[in-house]
Amino acid sequence: MKNFRFKNVLGVTSLAVASVAVVSCSQNEEIAPIDGGTRAAAAIVKVSGVINTNTTWSASNEYHLDGKVYVSGGATLTIQAGTKIVGLYNDVPAQASALVITRNGKINAVGTASAPIVMTAEDAHQYPGGWGGFVVLGNAPINQTNNPVIEGINSAPAGVDITYGGSNANDNSGTIQYVRVEYAGANVSQDNELNSFTFGGVGAGTTFDHCQAYYGEDDAFEFFGGTINAKYLVSTSTHDDAFDFDFGYTGKLQFLVATVDANSTYYTKDPNGIECDNDGSSSSLTPFTHPTISNLTIVGTVNGKVAQSAMGDGKSMKSCANFRRNCQFTLVNSILYGYPTGILCETTNSYVFKNNVINGVSTTFSGITADATNTAAASAEAIGLTSPWGGYTGLMPNASPANAGADFSELDSWFTTTSYRGAVGGRSNWLTQAWVK
Ligand SMILES: [Ca+2]
Ligand SMILES: [Ca+2]
Ligand SMILES: [Ca+2]
Ligand SMILES: [Ca+2]
């Protein structure tokens, strides 16, 4: 599905208990589905508790997470391409189901473009917040000194470490490719939420690309410190920020897309495309949060509003990109439009903002000086995309100032050089691949 409409995904229609046992978790039941649809007869494997030995989840099964499932004790969880994982619903947000890779565990989740790994909610709860989400913790630097516990999780079983951060910038938490997380995010309490993808202190030795967050309740991708790099990330209508950086994150990111469903209800008070803080108290703790981003396309809505939000007039979003609280940043070669404010710069720390194509519904530049390197478009339409709203294929430039003008002189060789700005070039649109929903 390549449009932005909400749609329930029909899968297994009913379940019957068949047998017991399989995985190394505290509760192991295998349930055979009575399959009413096109899906092959996958065995349902219910999982809860702690995975402490190397474990493989097979695409021929469907894994149902009952509460938090932790990978710990030096174990690696391998998930085969095409595997479906369901986070069972719990109406107590603190007990929401989630898959948590701790500092003492690893993930090997390698999907393919045609057979992504899908982590989703139960059929009856396929809406933002229908389950918790996917969490990875590592030993890479953060700028907090209090050995923080990851946001969104209040307690863990004895022996399971849910803190994060360390001194190994090249720490390797495993491989995460072609993974889609749907309907995640659990609001445990004010300012304490799980996100579709939550990363705490994850290191640059981790491989992370081609992943999508689809209709999540809080942020699509939130990074608490760490150095993890990524290419090809998609945020589809998450309720807070598409990309949220905090606590000293210093990774590199390229080919990012975020869209918003105008029919959504946004409960947060500051929904931004990008939100970036050094930390909540604007400290000068180092490393300074400093994402380095190229080839991003952030799309809001025609009037910068959604059906309902917690902002002042009850409908607005905030900004395409809000850099604040003493963070640093590098944002180049990108397209930003469809929020009330385009770039909202509230940090006085150092930054690079160059070679972007940008429009805000009310204000294009706030707290930052418009300059010749950035193309201030008179309107979203003036950005010249094939169709600026309503579908991924429309994000290909037509006659657009974004077709040229990219400059990689601020970036290192990790970045793929393009002539175009934004996430997709005119002729090869990776967003039309089957893994993108
Ligand atoms: Ca969050
Ligand atoms: Ca956020
Ligand atoms: Ca934030
Ligand atoms: Ca926010």
Side-chain angles (χ1 to χ4, degrees):
M1 198 180 69
K2 297 281 193 277
N3 61 35
F4 302 150
R5 295 237 175 254
F6 217 123
K7 179 186 169 189
N8 284 339
V9 178
L10 297 175
V12 174
T13 53
S14 61
L15 307 174
V17 177
S19 63
V20 186
V22 210
V23 293
S24 56
C25 298
S26 60
Q27 183 180 0
N28 307 320
E29 327 170 24
E30 194 172 340
I31 304 170
I34 300 165
D35 198 300
T38 55
R39 207 181 136 73
I44 305 290
V45 181
K46 203 170 188 179
V47 186
S48 65
V50 185
I51 295 175
N52 269 320
T53 57
N54 291 342
T55 299
T56 297
W57 287 358
S58 158
S60 58
N61 295 331
E62 191 173 295
Y63 295 85
H64 286 195
L65 310 179
D66 187 8
K68 306 284 185 307
V69 173
Y70 299 92
V71 179
S72 184
T76 297
L77 173 63
T78 297
I79 306 175
Q80 293 182 344
T83 302
K84 182 178 178 184
I85 296 159
V86 176
L88 298 182
Y89 180 75
N90 191 312
D91 60 7
V92 179
Q95 291 167 20
S97 298
L99 179 59
V100 184
I101 315 302
T102 72
R103 289 197 290 188
N104 303 314
K106 273 193 175 184
I107 179 74
N108 182 29
V110 182
T112 67
S114 58
I117 292 162
V118 176
M119 303 183 186
T120 191
E122 291 182 72
D123 288 349
H125 298 279
Q126 297 214 321
Y127 47 73
W131 69 294
F134 181 44
V135 179
V136 185
L137 307 176
N139 299 291
I142 63 174
N143 66 17
Q144 301 294 290
T145 55
N146 58 351
N147 202 27
V149 164
I150 194 63
E151 197 171 285
I153 301 179
N154 288 343
S155 64
V160 174
D161 179 8
I162 52 171
T163 65
Y164 62 95
S167 58
N168 184 5
N170 208 35
D171 190 38
N172 181 358
S173 292
T175 303
I176 306 156
Q177 294 178 300
Y178 296 102
V179 174
R180 183 169 69 243
V181 174
E182 304 176 346
Y183 310 115
N187 194 344
V188 177
S189 59
Q190 172 95 33
D191 299 325
N192 186 13
E193 307 95 358
L194 284 172
N195 310 283
S196 297
F197 291 81
T198 301
F199 294 99
V202 181
T206 308
T207 300
F208 178 40
D209 56 73
H210 297 93
C211 289
Q212 182 180 15
Y214 186 82
Y215 283 91
E217 179 156 328
D218 197 50
D219 306 314
F221 301 90
E222 181 154 24
F223 300 86
F224 297 95
T227 52
I228 186 173
N229 307 313
K231 290 182 181 178
Y232 304 104
L233 302 183
V234 180
S235 164
T236 304
S237 209
T238 199
H239 276 192
D240 191 35
D241 315 307
F243 304 99
D244 192 334
F245 309 102
D246 216 329
F247 292 177
Y249 171 78
T250 57
K252 296 174 257 195
L253 302 159
Q254 188 177 23
F255 306 119
L256 311 181
V257 169
T259 59
V260 169
D261 183 342
N263 296 315
S264 288
T265 297
Y266 283 22
Y267 296 107
T268 76
K269 56 188 182 300
D270 53 6
N272 297 295
I274 292 173
E275 186 177 284
C276 186
D277 300 348
N278 197 46
D279 63 15
S281 57
S282 310
S283 80
S284 291
L285 293 171
T286 59
F288 284 111
T289 303
H290 188 152
T292 300
I293 304 170
S294 182
N295 298 93
L296 158 96
T297 297
I298 291 265
V299 183
T301 63
V302 172
N303 57 5
K305 296 176 188 288
V306 290
Q308 194 180 332
S309 87
M311 294 287 285
D313 68 354
K315 290 193 173 176
S316 283
M317 299 186 293
K318 190 176 175 189
S319 73
C320 296
N322 186 189
F323 297 98
R324 61 186 197 184
R325 295 176 179 159
N326 209 26
C327 74
Q328 301 178 346
F329 67 96
T330 298
L331 176 57
V332 297
N333 305 326
S334 294
I335 300 173
L336 304 91
Y337 66 95
Y339 281 72
T341 301
I343 168 80
L344 175 56
C345 186
E346 299 177 310
T347 180
T348 53
N349 210 327
S350 62
Y351 60 81
V352 176
F353 185 77
K354 285 185 178 173
N355 301 101
N356 302 296
V357 181
I358 180 167
N359 172 260
V361 173
S362 304
T363 307
T364 295
F365 291 88
S366 178
I368 190 168
T369 307
D371 68 22
T373 72
N374 294 294
T375 304
S379 65
E381 285 65 32
I383 293 172
L385 305 183
T386 308
S387 168
W389 316 106
Y392 296 126
T393 54
L395 299 184
M396 289 186 288
N398 191 3
S400 171
N403 281 345
D407 183 330
F408 286 80
S409 58
E410 300 280 350
L411 305 176
D412 68 23
S413 62
W414 179 87
F415 287 89
T416 303
T417 300
T418 65
S419 54
Y420 58 86
R421 296 180 276 178
V424 290
R427 280 158 292 282
S428 66
N429 187 348
W430 54 272
L431 285 167
T432 61
Q433 294 176 358
W435 64 275
V436 181
K437 183 169 177 176

mmCIF file of all heavy atoms in Angstrom, residues 182-219:
data_model
loop_
_atom_site.group_PDB
_atom_site.id
_atom_site.type_symbol
_atom_site.label_atom_id
_atom_site.label_comp_id
_atom_site.label_asym_id
_atom_site.label_seq_id
_atom_site.Cartn_x
_atom_site.Cartn_y
_atom_site.Cartn_z
ATOM 1 N N GLU A 182 5.113 -1.508 12.768
ATOM 2 C CA GLU A 182 3.787 -0.903 12.544
ATOM 3 C C GLU A 182 3.028 -0.723 13.861
ATOM 4 O O GLU A 182 3.062 -1.600 14.727
ATOM 5 C CB GLU A 182 2.936 -1.820 11.654
ATOM 6 C CG GLU A 182 3.576 -2.173 10.331
ATOM 7 C CD GLU A 182 2.727 -3.156 9.527
ATOM 8 O OE1 GLU A 182 1.783 -3.762 10.095
ATOM 9 O OE2 GLU A 182 3.021 -3.330 8.338
ATOM 10 N N TYR A 183 2.293 0.378 13.972
ATOM 11 C CA TYR A 183 1.311 0.608 15.055
ATOM 12 C C TYR A 183 1.929 0.515 16.453
ATOM 13 O O TYR A 183 1.281 0.069 17.395
ATOM 14 C CB TYR A 183 0.146 -0.389 14.932
ATOM 15 C CG TYR A 183 -0.449 -0.447 13.551
ATOM 16 C CD1 TYR A 183 -0.367 -1.618 12.778
ATOM 17 C CD2 TYR A 183 -1.063 0.666 12.989
ATOM 18 C CE1 TYR A 183 -0.900 -1.667 11.500
ATOM 19 C CE2 TYR A 183 -1.603 0.621 11.711
ATOM 20 C CZ TYR A 183 -1.515 -0.549 10.970
ATOM 21 O OH TYR A 183 -2.039 -0.596 9.708
ATOM 22 N N ALA A 184 3.175 0.931 16.590
ATOM 23 C CA ALA A 184 3.868 0.818 17.877
ATOM 24 C C ALA A 184 3.759 2.121 18.669
ATOM 25 O O ALA A 184 3.079 3.068 18.264
ATOM 26 C CB ALA A 184 5.332 0.443 17.627
ATOM 27 N N GLY A 185 4.483 2.158 19.783
ATOM 28 C CA GLY A 185 4.495 3.345 20.647
ATOM 29 C C GLY A 185 3.554 3.154 21.812
ATOM 30 O O GLY A 185 2.376 2.880 21.634
ATOM 31 N N ALA A 186 4.062 3.243 22.999
ATOM 32 C CA ALA A 186 3.221 3.093 24.188
ATOM 33 C C ALA A 186 3.527 4.246 25.118
ATOM 34 O O ALA A 186 4.671 4.514 25.453
ATOM 35 C CB ALA A 186 3.507 1.761 24.883
ATOM 36 N N ASN A 187 2.498 4.951 25.524
ATOM 37 C CA ASN A 187 2.646 6.121 26.370
ATOM 38 C C ASN A 187 2.567 5.697 27.828
ATOM 39 O O ASN A 187 1.496 5.596 28.414
ATOM 40 C CB ASN A 187 1.534 7.119 26.028
ATOM 41 C CG ASN A 187 1.805 8.484 26.604
ATOM 42 O OD1 ASN A 187 2.638 8.627 27.486
ATOM 43 N ND2 ASN A 187 1.104 9.471 26.117
ATOM 44 N N VAL A 188 3.749 5.420 28.421
ATOM 45 C CA VAL A 188 3.788 4.933 29.798
ATOM 46 C C VAL A 188 3.354 6.028 30.760
ATOM 47 O O VAL A 188 2.590 5.810 31.689
ATOM 48 C CB VAL A 188 5.209 4.435 30.136
ATOM 49 C CG1 VAL A 188 5.302 3.987 31.583
ATOM 50 C CG2 VAL A 188 5.597 3.294 29.200
ATOM 51 N N SER A 189 3.863 7.225 30.539
ATOM 52 C CA SER A 189 3.484 8.396 31.335
ATOM 53 C C SER A 189 3.975 9.616 30.559
ATOM 54 O O SER A 189 4.631 9.478 29.533
ATOM 55 C CB SER A 189 4.124 8.346 32.729
ATOM 56 O OG SER A 189 5.533 8.301 32.604
ATOM 57 N N GLN A 190 3.690 10.811 31.066
ATOM 58 C CA GLN A 190 4.134 12.029 30.395
ATOM 59 C C GLN A 190 5.640 11.971 30.154
ATOM 60 O O GLN A 190 6.424 11.718 31.071
ATOM 61 C CB GLN A 190 3.807 13.230 31.282
ATOM 62 C CG GLN A 190 4.385 14.550 30.805
ATOM 63 C CD GLN A 190 3.415 15.359 29.978
ATOM 64 O OE1 GLN A 190 2.223 15.317 30.214
ATOM 65 N NE2 GLN A 190 3.923 16.074 28.998
ATOM 66 N N ASP A 191 6.071 12.191 28.928
ATOM 67 C CA ASP A 191 7.489 12.180 28.548
ATOM 68 C C ASP A 191 8.170 10.839 28.814
ATOM 69 O O ASP A 191 9.364 10.783 29.072
ATOM 70 C CB ASP A 191 8.265 13.303 29.266
ATOM 71 C CG ASP A 191 7.728 14.680 28.899
ATOM 72 O OD1 ASP A 191 7.307 14.854 27.742
ATOM 73 O OD2 ASP A 191 7.702 15.558 29.774
ATOM 74 N N ASN A 192 7.423 9.782 28.785
ATOM 75 C CA ASN A 192 8.007 8.453 28.977
ATOM 76 C C ASN A 192 7.276 7.480 28.060
ATOM 77 O O ASN A 192 6.297 6.848 28.442
ATOM 78 C CB ASN A 192 7.884 8.036 30.441
ATOM 79 C CG ASN A 192 8.606 6.723 30.728
ATOM 80 O OD1 ASN A 192 9.398 6.242 29.909
ATOM 81 N ND2 ASN A 192 8.315 6.137 31.877
ATOM 82 N N GLU A 193 7.760 7.405 26.805
ATOM 83 C CA GLU A 193 7.063 6.616 25.807
ATOM 84 C C GLU A 193 8.024 5.689 25.077
ATOM 85 O O GLU A 193 9.203 5.986 24.946
ATOM 86 C CB GLU A 193 6.411 7.532 24.743
ATOM 87 C CG GLU A 193 5.519 8.619 25.286
ATOM 88 C CD GLU A 193 6.236 9.949 25.456
ATOM 89 O OE1 GLU A 193 7.448 10.014 25.186
ATOM 90 O OE2 GLU A 193 5.572 10.917 25.863
ATOM 91 N N LEU A 194 7.485 4.596 24.615
ATOM 92 C CA LEU A 194 8.212 3.803 23.639
ATOM 93 C C LEU A 194 7.932 4.381 22.260
ATOM 94 O O LEU A 194 6.917 5.045 22.030
ATOM 95 C CB LEU A 194 7.773 2.337 23.690
ATOM 96 C CG LEU A 194 8.322 1.520 24.861
ATOM 97 C CD1 LEU A 194 7.658 0.146 24.889
ATOM 98 C CD2 LEU A 194 9.845 1.375 24.743
ATOM 99 N N ASN A 195 8.842 4.133 21.334
ATOM 100 C CA ASN A 195 8.715 4.604 19.960
ATOM 101 C C ASN A 195 8.692 3.391 19.037
ATOM 102 O O ASN A 195 8.925 2.270 19.476
ATOM 103 C CB ASN A 195 9.916 5.473 19.620
ATOM 104 C CG ASN A 195 10.149 6.535 20.673
ATOM 105 O OD1 ASN A 195 9.458 7.536 20.711
ATOM 106 N ND2 ASN A 195 11.115 6.303 21.560
ATOM 107 N N SER A 196 8.458 3.610 17.756
ATOM 108 C CA SER A 196 8.543 2.473 16.832
ATOM 109 C C SER A 196 9.934 1.861 16.917
ATOM 110 O O SER A 196 10.092 0.666 17.175
ATOM 111 C CB SER A 196 8.243 2.936 15.401
ATOM 112 O OG SER A 196 6.922 3.432 15.315
ATOM 113 N N PHE A 197 10.959 2.695 16.691
ATOM 114 C CA PHE A 197 12.348 2.269 16.859
ATOM 115 C C PHE A 197 12.961 3.151 17.954
ATOM 116 O O PHE A 197 13.004 4.372 17.804
ATOM 117 C CB PHE A 197 13.160 2.482 15.578
ATOM 118 C CG PHE A 197 12.798 1.580 14.428
ATOM 119 C CD1 PHE A 197 11.698 1.851 13.608
ATOM 120 C CD2 PHE A 197 13.582 0.466 14.118
ATOM 121 C CE1 PHE A 197 11.373 1.032 12.533
ATOM 122 C CE2 PHE A 197 13.268 -0.358 13.042
ATOM 123 C CZ PHE A 197 12.163 -0.070 12.248
ATOM 124 N N THR A 198 13.440 2.544 19.027
ATOM 125 C CA THR A 198 14.114 3.271 20.098
ATOM 126 C C THR A 198 15.549 2.763 20.192
ATOM 127 O O THR A 198 15.772 1.568 20.370
ATOM 128 C CB THR A 198 13.414 3.030 21.448
ATOM 129 O OG1 THR A 198 12.052 3.454 21.368
ATOM 130 C CG2 THR A 198 14.121 3.793 22.570
ATOM 131 N N PHE A 199 16.516 3.673 20.068
ATOM 132 C CA PHE A 199 17.920 3.283 20.155
ATOM 133 C C PHE A 199 18.577 4.021 21.313
ATOM 134 O O PHE A 199 18.549 5.243 21.363
ATOM 135 C CB PHE A 199 18.665 3.639 18.869
ATOM 136 C CG PHE A 199 18.205 2.867 17.658
ATOM 137 C CD1 PHE A 199 17.318 3.430 16.754
ATOM 138 C CD2 PHE A 199 18.663 1.583 17.436
ATOM 139 C CE1 PHE A 199 16.897 2.711 15.643
ATOM 140 C CE2 PHE A 199 18.248 0.859 16.326
ATOM 141 C CZ PHE A 199 17.354 1.427 15.434
ATOM 142 N N GLY A 200 19.203 3.287 22.232
ATOM 143 C CA GLY A 200 19.929 3.898 23.338
ATOM 144 C C GLY A 200 21.393 3.511 23.275
ATOM 145 O O GLY A 200 21.740 2.346 23.421
ATOM 146 N N GLY A 201 22.268 4.475 23.008
ATOM 147 C CA GLY A 201 23.708 4.199 23.004
ATOM 148 C C GLY A 201 24.125 3.137 22.000
ATOM 149 O O GLY A 201 25.069 2.389 22.249
ATOM 150 N N VAL A 202 23.449 3.069 20.870
ATOM 151 C CA VAL A 202 23.787 2.034 19.877
ATOM 152 C C VAL A 202 24.965 2.511 19.032
ATOM 153 O O VAL A 202 25.005 3.659 18.590
ATOM 154 C CB VAL A 202 22.569 1.687 19.001
ATOM 155 C CG1 VAL A 202 22.927 0.606 17.988
ATOM 156 C CG2 VAL A 202 21.416 1.216 19.876
ATOM 157 N N GLY A 203 25.925 1.620 18.794
ATOM 158 C CA GLY A 203 27.179 2.003 18.187
ATOM 159 C C GLY A 203 27.234 1.880 16.677
ATOM 160 O O GLY A 203 26.393 1.222 16.038
ATOM 161 N N ALA A 204 28.272 2.507 16.115
ATOM 162 C CA ALA A 204 28.433 2.580 14.664
ATOM 163 C C ALA A 204 28.816 1.240 14.042
ATOM 164 O O ALA A 204 28.785 1.093 12.820
ATOM 165 C CB ALA A 204 29.493 3.631 14.314
ATOM 166 N N GLY A 205 29.171 0.245 14.851
ATOM 167 C CA GLY A 205 29.417 -1.087 14.295
ATOM 168 C C GLY A 205 28.143 -1.816 13.918
ATOM 169 O O GLY A 205 28.176 -2.858 13.265
ATOM 170 N N THR A 206 27.017 -1.264 14.305
ATOM 171 C CA THR A 206 25.707 -1.847 13.991
ATOM 172 C C THR A 206 25.320 -1.503 12.557
ATOM 173 O O THR A 206 25.549 -0.381 12.104
ATOM 174 C CB THR A 206 24.653 -1.278 14.967
ATOM 175 O OG1 THR A 206 25.125 -1.446 16.295
ATOM 176 C CG2 THR A 206 23.304 -1.943 14.788
ATOM 177 N N THR A 207 24.749 -2.456 11.829
ATOM 178 C CA THR A 207 24.263 -2.209 10.468
ATOM 179 C C THR A 207 22.763 -1.926 10.527
ATOM 180 O O THR A 207 22.006 -2.709 11.106
ATOM 181 C CB THR A 207 24.525 -3.441 9.582
ATOM 182 O OG1 THR A 207 25.930 -3.686 9.565
ATOM 183 C CG2 THR A 207 24.017 -3.205 8.163
ATOM 184 N N PHE A 208 22.358 -0.807 9.941
ATOM 185 C CA PHE A 208 20.955 -0.379 10.063
ATOM 186 C C PHE A 208 20.554 0.347 8.792
ATOM 187 O O PHE A 208 21.043 1.443 8.506
ATOM 188 C CB PHE A 208 20.836 0.540 11.291
ATOM 189 C CG PHE A 208 19.467 1.112 11.537
ATOM 190 C CD1 PHE A 208 18.308 0.364 11.358
ATOM 191 C CD2 PHE A 208 19.327 2.426 11.975
ATOM 192 C CE1 PHE A 208 17.060 0.905 11.601
ATOM 193 C CE2 PHE A 208 18.079 2.973 12.229
ATOM 194 C CZ PHE A 208 16.949 2.211 12.038
ATOM 195 N N ASP A 209 19.693 -0.263 7.994
ATOM 196 C CA ASP A 209 19.219 0.405 6.779
ATOM 197 C C ASP A 209 17.916 -0.223 6.291
ATOM 198 O O ASP A 209 17.554 -1.315 6.698
ATOM 199 C CB ASP A 209 20.286 0.366 5.674
ATOM 200 C CG ASP A 209 20.745 -1.042 5.332
ATOM 201 O OD1 ASP A 209 19.977 -1.779 4.697
ATOM 202 O OD2 ASP A 209 21.888 -1.405 5.718
ATOM 203 N N HIS A 210 17.211 0.506 5.436
ATOM 204 C CA HIS A 210 15.959 0.048 4.835
ATOM 205 C C HIS A 210 14.936 -0.352 5.897
ATOM 206 O O HIS A 210 14.512 -1.512 5.968
ATOM 207 C CB HIS A 210 16.206 -1.117 3.861
ATOM 208 C CG HIS A 210 17.051 -0.748 2.690
ATOM 209 N ND1 HIS A 210 18.420 -0.918 2.689
ATOM 210 C CD2 HIS A 210 16.739 -0.211 1.489
ATOM 211 C CE1 HIS A 210 18.914 -0.505 1.541
ATOM 212 N NE2 HIS A 210 17.908 -0.054 0.790
ATOM 213 N N CYS A 211 14.556 0.599 6.726
ATOM 214 C CA CYS A 211 13.573 0.315 7.772
ATOM 215 C C CYS A 211 12.476 1.378 7.772
ATOM 216 O O CYS A 211 12.708 2.528 7.421
ATOM 217 C CB CYS A 211 14.247 0.258 9.142
ATOM 218 S SG CYS A 211 15.274 -1.224 9.355
ATOM 219 N N GLN A 212 11.281 0.949 8.161
ATOM 220 C CA GLN A 212 10.115 1.837 8.129
ATOM 221 C C GLN A 212 9.366 1.789 9.456
ATOM 222 O O GLN A 212 9.129 0.718 10.018
ATOM 223 C CB GLN A 212 9.156 1.414 7.008
ATOM 224 C CG GLN A 212 7.929 2.328 6.883
ATOM 225 C CD GLN A 212 6.982 1.915 5.764
ATOM 226 O OE1 GLN A 212 7.080 0.800 5.253
ATOM 227 N NE2 GLN A 212 6.082 2.798 5.392
ATOM 228 N N ALA A 213 8.961 2.953 9.923
ATOM 229 C CA ALA A 213 8.055 3.073 11.065
ATOM 230 C C ALA A 213 6.709 3.530 10.513
ATOM 231 O O ALA A 213 6.613 4.578 9.870
ATOM 232 C CB ALA A 213 8.590 4.083 12.063
ATOM 233 N N TYR A 214 5.672 2.751 10.765
ATOM 234 C CA TYR A 214 4.372 2.968 10.121
ATOM 235 C C TYR A 214 3.303 3.210 11.182
ATOM 236 O O TYR A 214 2.998 2.335 11.987
ATOM 237 C CB TYR A 214 4.048 1.724 9.283
ATOM 238 C CG TYR A 214 2.815 1.805 8.431
ATOM 239 C CD1 TYR A 214 2.842 2.423 7.186
ATOM 240 C CD2 TYR A 214 1.625 1.222 8.862
ATOM 241 C CE1 TYR A 214 1.697 2.467 6.394
ATOM 242 C CE2 TYR A 214 0.486 1.264 8.071
ATOM 243 C CZ TYR A 214 0.539 1.891 6.838
ATOM 244 O OH TYR A 214 -0.589 1.935 6.059
ATOM 245 N N TYR A 215 2.755 4.426 11.188
ATOM 246 C CA TYR A 215 1.680 4.784 12.117
ATOM 247 C C TYR A 215 2.020 4.434 13.564
ATOM 248 O O TYR A 215 1.320 3.655 14.212
ATOM 249 C CB TYR A 215 0.348 4.135 11.692
ATOM 250 C CG TYR A 215 -0.301 4.850 10.520
ATOM 251 C CD1 TYR A 215 -0.034 4.460 9.205
ATOM 252 C CD2 TYR A 215 -1.145 5.928 10.726
ATOM 253 C CE1 TYR A 215 -0.605 5.123 8.132
ATOM 254 C CE2 TYR A 215 -1.735 6.593 9.661
ATOM 255 C CZ TYR A 215 -1.450 6.183 8.367
ATOM 256 O OH TYR A 215 -2.019 6.844 7.313
ATOM 257 N N GLY A 216 3.102 5.023 14.064
ATOM 258 C CA GLY A 216 3.462 4.840 15.469
ATOM 259 C C GLY A 216 2.905 5.965 16.321
ATOM 260 O O GLY A 216 2.562 7.040 15.821
ATOM 261 N N GLU A 217 2.832 5.725 17.643
ATOM 262 C CA GLU A 217 2.213 6.725 18.495
ATOM 263 C C GLU A 217 3.182 7.820 18.944
ATOM 264 O O GLU A 217 2.820 8.975 18.994
ATOM 265 C CB GLU A 217 1.584 6.085 19.730
ATOM 266 C CG GLU A 217 0.961 7.151 20.630
ATOM 267 C CD GLU A 217 -0.134 6.648 21.517
ATOM 268 O OE1 GLU A 217 -0.852 5.727 21.108
ATOM 269 O OE2 GLU A 217 -0.286 7.186 22.618
ATOM 270 N N ASP A 218 4.411 7.508 19.260
ATOM 271 C CA ASP A 218 5.301 8.601 19.653
ATOM 272 C C ASP A 218 6.229 8.906 18.475
ATOM 273 O O ASP A 218 5.772 9.336 17.425
ATOM 274 C CB ASP A 218 6.046 8.290 20.955
ATOM 275 C CG ASP A 218 6.630 9.563 21.567
ATOM 276 O OD1 ASP A 218 5.888 10.548 21.705
ATOM 277 O OD2 ASP A 218 7.827 9.591 21.866
ATOM 278 N N ASP A 219 7.520 8.701 18.636
ATOM 279 C CA ASP A 219 8.440 9.001 17.533
ATOM 280 C C ASP A 219 8.624 7.769 16.635
ATOM 281 O O ASP A 219 8.500 6.630 17.076
ATOM 282 C CB ASP A 219 9.797 9.419 18.080
ATOM 283 C CG ASP A 219 9.665 10.562 19.079
ATOM 284 O OD1 ASP A 219 8.925 11.521 18.776
ATOM 285 O OD2 ASP A 219 10.288 10.491 20.152
#
